Amino acid sequence: MLKSMTGYGKAECLLGSDKYLIEIRSVNGKNADINLKSSLIPRDKEVEVRKYIAEQLGRGSIDLFITVERSEGAATKQINRGTLLAYYEQLQEAIQGTTLECCEPDVMLGSLMRLPDVLETRSTELAPDQWETLFAAIRQAVDALDAFRAKEGVSLRNDVLAQVDKIESYIPEVERYERERVPAIRERIDARAREIALQMDGNRLEQEMIFWLEKLDVNEEKVRLRQHCRYFRETADNEPMPGRKLGFIAQEMGREINTLGSKANHAEIQKIVVKMKDELEKIKEQTLNIL
């Protein structure tokens, strides 16, 4: 199944009274560029998370975010009681017998709370069972992203194959104008011969015509272009991650279209070639986003 590299997924889980929100998003990229934008993932688990994401999602520029919503009353910092009392006792001893002895308790408490190490950040280290719960939620978010990619891939496939069909539909139009080139070339040769007063016998004229017809023959280009279009469809429908290969096939299609244009020697055929190139550019842009 063809998938897009662009997608978004999210999941939630509860660890104690705290709610963890996991979000993951991806855009197109040549390789698996995974960014863990969270300090909540233990250092020793980062390799495991990266490996899982790479295995499940393949390629793309992928960002993983984890945020936590603390429950009401759950303080992110806690008072170090021993440090606070030690500061208080030293302060009482220092101001005893001075005019500061009458200092308001609220003022004193506010000053004490600003001293170093009185407030400690609550530890966010996860217990093993908590990590398993969080990792399960990460897997759910990855699955949601993968489903999003598959859904986007359906419309992407329809668009890109429609453009391939359009390129192939232009080939019979080229064939319609091919025959018009022969009389035009014959007339041009005759006109040039008359211009320089050259007496050209019939055999020589036929030799010149054969030379030009061989030079302008585009049958091989048409056959190869049709083959590339067919191969593009087969690859899109039968390979799990066809993005890179489809890009290579599009390059080969471009070579045949360019050669066809260089041999056209006809204004209407040149217009058709321009239309083919326009559709091909759309295909190239879309293959960059195909997994």
Side-chain angles (χ1 to χ4, degrees), residues 3-7 24-34 53-63 145-146 149 156 240-248 286-291:
K3 294 180 181 179
S4 168
M5 272 194 283
T6 301
I24 184 168
R25 68 187 182 195
S26 70
V27 293
N28 61 303
K30 291 184 178 180
N31 301 298
D33 181 17
I34 301 169
I53 292 175
E55 288 174 350
Q56 297 300 310
L57 300 180
R59 296 190 298 135
S61 180
I62 303 164
D63 295 328
L145 172 58
D146 192 47
R149 281 177 155 192
L156 186 57
M241 290 191 291
R244 281 197 179 100
K245 185 176 285 188
L246 293 178
F248 297 145
Q286 289 174 318
T287 54
L288 292 175
N289 198 34
I290 295 175
L291 182 61

Side-chain angles (χ1 to χ4, degrees), residues 11 24 48 53 84 100 146 150 199 239 286:
I24 184 168
E48 180 183 2
I53 292 175
L84 178 63
L100 295 174
D146 192 47
Q199 297 295 324
E239 297 202 11
Q286 289 174 318

Side-chain angles (χ1 to χ4, degrees), residues 13-32:
C13 69
L14 287 174
L15 297 179
S17 58
D18 298 333
K19 183 169 76 173
Y20 284 70
L21 175 64
I22 299 93
E23 295 178 283
I24 184 168
R25 68 187 182 195
S26 70
V27 293
N28 61 303
K30 291 184 178 180
N31 301 298

Side-chain angles (χ1 to χ4, degrees), residues 12 14 17-21 40 67-72 74:
E12 297 178 355
L14 287 174
S17 58
D18 298 333
K19 183 169 76 173
Y20 284 70
L21 175 64
L40 297 171
T67 55
V68 57
E69 295 180 8
R70 305 292 183 187
S71 59
E72 292 185 10

